[in-house]
Amino acid sequence: MKIKKLLLMSTLISAPVIINNLIFKKTNKNIDKSDKNYYNWRFGKIRYIVKGRGEPLLLIHDTVAGSGLHEWTNIIENLSKYHKVYAIDLLGYGFSDKPGITYSSYLYVSLINDFISEVIKAKTSIVVNGNSSGFAVLANIFKPDLVNKFILISPHGIKDQLPDKKDYFKKFILEAPIIGTSIYTFLTSKLFYKMYFKRYINKIDKKMLNDYYKSAHLEGVNSKYSNAAFLSNYLNINLNNHLSRIEVPVHIIWGKEDEVNPISQFNRIIETCPNLSLTVFNTKSLPHVEEPESFYKTCKMFLAG
């Protein structure tokens, strides 16, 4: 009887491990990294692409699981007509390294400044989406001579919600070897993405779904660590506190139908930063994905001004 119970417990424990490993192995099969640019940063290799000529422009994606530079696919070609466009996979995302470390907002602040200083090597403008907006703005406060202009897409971090004891416990669970990995593979499954992204975008195409799915599983089990930090508020920055301190022009783009980060949040920003300009699109959270042509024209007008 005891042997049967032990066998049952062993099966219950080993089954999720086998399934998780199969998911990661299948996603990483036949992935070729040889044709990609990498910046050898002190915490790992950072994948990036560069295209075009002109004034440099850095594109920084959001921190939702599966995010990456693929987020900018629809607009890079047009932007590169007038700019030397750089787009990166943040550490822990996409084709960049995914070390099993504690990710924090200040880690990404350092990455942004180091990338501009060591790769771009010139003053640049930045287009940044969602939660990463706070990283870019704080990076400018630390090194104000590196940025010309900002375009923030539906910027998060307007509320000051720093990690508490519940978040510490949540992070511990999400990073745990079996249960944490199983939660991560569920949250990044194609079925979950289909349900989840209905809040982010009006129309999800197959390519977009595959891009996020692949990005979320590259590098295997270590993919979960950046997401654990994101879900546990370790990547939060109080954007309002910092926006009022920067001196470069800032334009904000928001989706009118944004459910995740409602446009009403802009009222809280404008109270402390009255000089900001705003463009509203009839989209949800990803106007650069849903309306790439209109988004490009807005960027072109602001960056040229």
Side-chain angles (χ1 to χ4, degrees):
M1 212 41 199
K2 288 183 179 180
I3 294 175
K4 286 184 178 180
K5 286 182 178 180
L6 285 172
L7 287 172
L8 178 60
M9 288 178 64
S10 177
T11 302
L12 291 173
I13 292 171
S14 61
V17 175
I18 294 169
I19 293 170
N20 293 334
N21 287 337
L22 284 173
I23 291 171
F24 289 122
K25 187 175 180 180
K26 183 178 179 182
T27 308
N28 284 269
K29 189 178 180 181
N30 300 323
I31 294 295
D32 182 15
K33 295 186 177 183
S34 61
D35 63 339
K36 295 172 176 61
N37 298 308
Y38 284 91
Y39 161 49
N40 290 312
W41 194 43
R42 60 183 180 274
F43 290 107
K45 291 183 178 180
I46 304 300
R47 182 245 182 148
Y48 70 95
I49 59 173
V50 55
K51 187 165 188 166
R53 292 183 178 181
E55 293 293 320
L57 179 64
L58 176 59
L59 309 181
I60 305 173
H61 62 79
D62 197 6
T63 57
V64 175
S67 294
L69 62 81
H70 54 82
E71 192 178 290
W72 310 104
T73 301
N74 294 344
I75 64 167
I76 285 180
E77 192 67 36
N78 278 333
L79 287 172
S80 66
K81 294 175 183 176
Y82 301 95
H83 297 273
K84 189 171 185 179
V85 178
Y86 294 82
I88 65 173
D89 283 334
L90 294 173
L91 191 76
Y93 292 87
F95 282 82
S96 289
D97 283 350
K98 300 177 179 179
I101 61 175
T102 293
Y103 291 78
S104 70
S105 54
Y106 290 94
L107 179 80
Y108 292 122
V109 167
S110 296
L111 171 56
I112 291 167
N113 280 338
D114 288 347
F115 186 85
I116 295 172
S117 299
E118 298 177 19
V119 179
I120 300 177
K121 297 180 180 178
K123 204 167 184 177
T124 184
S125 292
I126 295 179
V127 181
V128 55
N129 183 30
N131 198 67
S132 297
S133 299
F135 311 154
V137 168
L138 189 54
N140 178 249
I141 290 172
F142 286 163
K143 293 190 176 181
D145 296 330
L146 295 181
V147 178
N148 281 317
K149 294 182 179 181
F150 280 110
I151 295 177
L152 312 181
I153 306 168
S154 184
H156 289 232
I158 296 162
K159 278 188 175 181
D160 186 9
Q161 190 176 356
L162 299 176
D164 56 22
K165 289 182 179 179
K166 290 180 182 178
D167 292 317
Y168 301 152
F169 179 71
K170 184 193 295 185
K171 181 173 174 290
F172 174 78
I173 294 297
L174 292 172
E175 291 181 348
I178 298 175
I179 187 171
T181 305
S182 297
I183 291 171
Y184 181 76
T185 53
F186 170 72
L187 294 177
T188 55
S189 64
K190 289 187 178 179
L191 178 61
F192 187 84
Y193 270 141
K194 283 181 181 178
M195 297 185 295
Y196 184 71
F197 272 95
K198 286 180 180 178
R199 298 183 66 206
Y200 274 84
I201 192 168
N202 284 309
K203 186 178 180 181
I204 307 170
D205 59 43
K206 188 176 180 180
K207 184 181 182 307
M208 177 186 172
L209 189 68
N210 287 336
D211 285 341
Y212 274 85
Y213 180 81
K214 182 169 68 174
S215 176
H217 295 91
L218 290 170
E219 301 295 327
V221 69
N222 277 9
S223 301
K224 69 184 177 184
Y225 287 96
S226 56
N227 189 57
F230 171 61
L231 294 178
S232 304
N233 295 320
Y234 275 68
L235 305 186
N236 283 7
I237 286 179
N238 190 328
L239 188 64
N240 258 12
N241 285 351
H242 303 303
L243 263 179
S244 59
R245 296 167 58 193
I246 63 174
E247 297 179 358
V248 299
V250 179
H251 187 72
I252 293 181
I253 296 177
W254 223 301
K256 187 178 181 180
E257 302 169 29
D258 194 332
E259 299 176 22
V260 180
N261 189 32
I263 194 172
S264 58
Q265 294 285 359
F266 180 73
N267 295 329
R268 300 186 64 180
I269 298 179
I270 206 69
E271 287 176 3
T272 54
C273 311
N275 295 324
L276 300 179
S277 54
L278 172 70
T279 298
V280 179
F281 285 87
N282 291 318
T283 67
K284 290 190 176 181
S285 301
L286 303 172
H288 50 303
V289 177
E290 287 195 61
E291 298 288 345
E293 286 296 325
S294 299
F295 183 89
Y296 157 68
K297 290 175 182 176
T298 300
C299 290
K300 180 184 175 184
M301 187 180 302
F302 175 71
L303 294 172

